[in-house]
Each structure stands twice: as C-alpha cells, then as structure tokens.
Amino acid sequence: AQSVTQLDSQVPVFEEAPVELRCNYSSSVSVYLFWYVQYPNQGLQLLLKYLSGSTLVKGINGFEAEFNKSQTSFHLRKPSVHISDTAEYFCAVSLRLTGGGNKLTFGTGTQLKVEL
Amino acid sequence: DTGVSQDPRHKITKRGQNVTFRCDPISEHNRLYWYRQTLGQGPEFLTYFQNEAQLEKSRLLSDRFSAERPKGSFSTLEIQRTEQGDSAMYLCASSSRMSTDTQYFGPGTRLTVL
C-alpha cells in the first residue's frame, strides 16, 4: 500500500521569504513522486515530478523539490514566495496500474498563505 | 491543447436524484481518470480508462456509480440515487501515450446533494 503524509495543513509565510512544504511517503515499490498546486475553484496543476535520476527536481514558478529515499521524503521548496503562490499544494505518489496507467495517491494538502 | 474540460462546473441536486458528469480529455490522450475530492482532503482515485476499456475501479466506486468512455474520447460519470455523502468535487484527468506518468487535470465538477 502507498500513502502520503503532509504534516502541515497550513503554512503562513511573508512575501519574499523562503518556504518549505513537507511531504513524506510510504511505498513498497519504486516510487514516482509529484507536487500539484490547486488554486481556488480550479483543478490541479503539475508543479514538478520525480521519476528517476537527479534527486533535485526543478519545476515551474521557481519551485524545486528533493527526493530523499532514506528519509522517504519529497519536500517542496521555494527561495522567495510571491502573493500569487497562495494556494493549496498536494504531494502525490504514483502506483502503476494494469495497462500502463498510474493511480495517484494524494496527501491531504498544505494551504500556503503568503502575506504582505 | 485546450486542456481537459468538464461539464457542468457545478451541480446542485436533491437526495435520490441521478446526476451525470462529462469529461473531455486532451485530444489524443488515451488514458482517462476520475478522482473525487472532499473538503479538506486530497483527491481520491475512482476509476481509469485506457481508450474505451475501464481497467481499474476503486472500492470507493459503489454500485450507484458508473463510468463510461464509449468511443475512447469523452467520458461520463453517473451517480444514481445520490446521497449527501456524494457531495464532493469530481475531477477528471488524462495522460498521453508518450508521457504516461503525467496526468493533466480538468477544473472539476462540484456536486452538492441537498
């Protein structure tokens, strides 16, 4: 079974400050890991993904994440946040399905609130 | 690409009524997924299609739920005899043959059962 834990339900941060959103996963097989962002009343947008290779993954909007196998973590970071980064962020792990598809298992999300 | 589209965006219904949602995936995406997201939670997998074949169903998908993708393009999700517990955001996602690991999500259909 796979699971994802996002310990922080809310993270307040001032504009231009750095931020880290934490994600820990549990999986019995090799993992693919993802971060999605959800703005109010919208669907999910892919920020970045780890499939293999370099453990430091860069995504859109200046976000990056580091895969740490020994700590089973995939924390999301941004060195300087902007008001427009205020949104809900979801970490997800992928499980291969019959026919080559992938089932995403999501964490409960972290609400990032950027303040002036 | 015009992105994944879903219709309607919002649906309010009374308990016991049937509802149907539609999802149009990105053109030529062969895989299509349905997820359900309740308030304060992450999306949960419901079902998955490769072309017109429904290959996987979650145990969350009770007998009152049925999904189809008749021509391997758009998909419908029907809920019969709706219950208040069905109130949620229903999200559709699609992925391509070339990038099977990346799912592109639509804006969702928010269902409210009174």
Side-chain angles (χ1 to χ4, degrees), chain A residues 2-112:
Chain A
Q2 296 181 300
S3 66
V4 174
T5 302
Q6 293 182 249
L7 290 171
D8 305 306
S9 59
Q10 291 188 16
V11 172
V13 62
F14 287 108
E15 194 174 32
E16 296 184 7
V19 70
E20 177 179 85
L21 305 184
R22 297 181 293 169
C23 172
N24 288 87
Y25 68 91
S26 171
S27 176
S28 57
V29 297
S30 297
V31 293
Y32 294 162
L33 292 158
F34 303 79
W35 275 99
Y36 281 85
V37 60
Q38 186 175 35
Y39 298 100
N41 299 315
Q42 294 187 27
L44 283 77
Q45 180 182 4
L46 180 67
L47 273 179
L48 48 80
K49 59 185 177 182
Y50 171 78
L51 305 180
S52 65
S54 174
T55 57
L56 183 63
V57 180
K58 293 191 183 295
I60 62 171
N61 301 341
F63 284 94
E64 64 181 32
E66 186 157 17
F67 171 62
N68 189 318
K69 188 175 182 179
S70 63
Q71 297 187 2
T72 61
S73 68
F74 190 55
H75 301 332
L76 181 70
R77 301 186 184 100
K78 186 170 183 177
S80 176
V81 296
H82 188 265
I83 281 285
S84 59
D85 293 323
T86 295
E88 187 92 21
Y89 291 79
F90 292 96
C91 182
V93 63
S94 172
L95 176 68
R96 183 72 74 181
L97 298 172
T98 304
N102 293 280
K103 166 188 171 182
L104 293 174
T105 299
F106 289 87
T108 52
T110 297
Q111 176 65 43
L112 176 63

Side-chain angles (χ1 to χ4, degrees), chain B residues 25-74:
Chain B
I26 293 172
S27 177
E28 298 183 358
H29 276 198
N30 65 326
R31 295 188 175 91
L32 186 147
Y33 304 80
W34 285 98
Y35 291 82
R36 181 173 66 187
Q37 185 179 19
T38 53
L39 205 59
Q41 300 296 316
E44 294 175 294
F45 172 83
L46 291 179
T47 190
Y48 146 66
F49 290 85
Q50 179 172 279
N51 300 314
E52 66 277 6
Q54 187 174 20
L55 296 184
E56 196 88 17
K57 286 179 11 177
S58 164
R59 62 180 182 275
L60 293 175
L61 214 63
S62 76
D63 292 344
R64 296 183 297 105
F65 288 70
S66 63
E68 294 182 341
R69 195 183 183 199
K71 296 182 180 180
S73 56
F74 72 91

